[in-house]
Amino acid sequence: MHMNRNMGIILGVLALLLVGGVVWFALSNQPATNTNQLSASTTPAATQMPTSPSVSTDSAMPTETKEFTVTGSAFKFDPAEIKVKQGDKVRIVFKNSGGMHDWVVDEFNARTKVLQSGQSETIEFVADKTGTFEYYCGVGNHRQMGMKGNLVVE
Ligand SMILES: [Cu+2]
């Protein structure tokens, strides 16, 4: 009898402690959820549009197209000298006014086809290095006979 009564009291105390613990836990949890909501509502205000700096790297090397009309005949080029600036895009309009000729600059891998009299061809390349480079006609011994000129890149 005594034992059962004591057990009842102990169980009752334990039950109270359990309920009290649950209530305390629930109450102590509430501020935590409140701060979560607070921080969640403040984040949209924190996101600002980043001012994107306008970076222009165009000034590195201005590419300008320089066009030249070169006439080839037996056995010379006209003009015999072409001057450009480093970085220029060079456009050569090669006109063959007589014979079989082409126009070649080895250093820039620039080369027309071998043209017949009256034909013309336009090629382009970028003069990406400075120096004096010889252009010539690769047909037969035309180069040795003086069919050449200088491409000067400054
Ligand atoms: Cu030639």
Side-chain angles (χ1 to χ4, degrees), residues 100-101 137 139 142 147:
M100 273 178 59
H101 308 290
C137 174
V139 176
H142 294 191
M147 198 166 180

Side-chain angles (χ1 to χ4, degrees), residues 3-148:
M3 290 291 281
N4 279 347
R5 197 172 164 191
N6 282 344
M7 284 291 281
I9 290 167
I10 289 166
L11 282 173
V13 168
L14 281 175
L16 278 175
L17 283 173
L18 187 66
V19 169
V22 166
V23 169
W24 175 83
F25 181 78
L27 285 174
S28 65
N29 243 16
Q30 210 134 12
T33 54
N34 275 351
T35 51
N36 277 349
Q37 283 170 350
L38 260 176
S39 63
S41 65
T42 52
T43 38
T47 50
Q48 284 182 338
M49 287 294 288
T51 50
S52 55
S54 57
V55 181
S56 68
T57 52
D58 290 343
S59 57
M61 200 180 265
T63 46
E64 202 178 318
T65 300
K66 302 261 180 78
E67 183 176 307
F68 301 90
T69 299
V70 180
T71 303
S73 58
F75 293 97
K76 61 182 178 65
F77 286 115
D78 180 28
E81 187 180 83
I82 293 171
K83 276 190 178 179
V84 297
K85 294 258 187 289
Q86 185 182 22
D88 283 347
K89 182 183 277 189
V90 182
R91 181 184 296 147
I92 301 292
V93 181
F94 176 54
K95 291 181 175 174
N96 181 357
S97 66
M100 273 178 59
H101 308 290
D102 60 6
W103 188 92
V104 182
V105 185
D106 288 326
E107 290 83 353
F108 296 106
N109 289 318
R111 171 187 293 269
T112 68
K113 294 189 289 288
V114 175
L115 302 183
Q116 306 297 320
S117 295
Q119 290 183 321
S120 68
E121 184 183 345
T122 301
I123 61 167
E124 284 185 356
F125 59 94
V126 176
D128 54 3
K129 52 197 166 198
T130 59
T132 298
F133 310 97
E134 188 173 273
Y135 53 85
Y136 62 91
C137 174
V139 176
N141 62 346
H142 294 191
R143 186 182 192 176
Q144 288 72 23
M145 296 174 75
M147 198 166 180
K148 59 190 179 184

